[in-house]
Amino acid sequence: MIDHYLDDKVELYEFLEQVNYALSLEFKEKWRHKYSDTFIGIFQDRIINSLSTQKPIKLSSIKSLYVKKHKYDPKIVTEFITNIEIDLYYPLIYRDANYV
């Protein structure tokens, strides 16, 4: 029972570290040269919004935000999602049936 509790605690810690990294200047500096400050800022704002509303983010809504609202090329958005290993942000960000 205690081992299971510790495993859950470690997973939660690692998840929070990943979210903290995504919101950091280090993350922005790493990716801004490839995608731009604005592009990274959109992602960071979406994470902050999700945390403040306590609602998880559908991956399809992230792609839609970039492509439809901000007019980014879908290939660039998909590349970004792959490069940052978006699955590391689960359950905050999750793959849904509408994500293609």
Side-chain angles (χ1 to χ4, degrees), residues 3-91:
D3 288 340
H4 180 66
Y5 172 75
L6 291 176
D7 288 344
D8 288 348
K9 203 170 182 178
V10 167
E11 284 182 31
L12 178 60
Y13 177 79
E14 289 172 351
F15 167 73
L16 292 174
E17 284 289 312
Q18 191 65 36
V19 170
N20 188 46
Y21 172 66
L23 297 173
S24 72
L25 183 57
E26 181 182 354
F27 180 88
K28 192 170 212 168
E29 286 296 316
K30 178 178 180 177
W31 296 110
R32 74 181 179 93
H33 299 291
K34 188 167 187 171
Y35 298 103
S36 84
D37 280 335
T38 303
F39 190 100
I40 301 307
I42 292 167
F43 180 69
Q44 291 176 325
D45 286 345
R46 188 65 186 98
I47 289 176
I48 290 169
N49 184 50
S50 175
L51 293 171
S52 68
T53 61
Q54 298 181 2
K55 292 183 180 179
I57 310 165
K58 294 181 200 174
L59 197 47
S60 63
S61 73
I62 290 176
K63 189 169 185 179
S64 179
L65 174 69
Y66 277 109
V67 173
K68 293 180 180 175
K69 184 174 181 183
H70 297 284
K71 308 296 185 211
Y72 283 100
D73 182 329
K75 290 178 184 175
I76 298 295
V77 177
T78 301
E79 178 185 277
F80 173 71
I81 287 168
T82 301
N83 284 341
I84 65 165
E85 300 178 63
I86 202 77
D87 292 330
L88 295 174
Y89 299 93
Y90 179 83

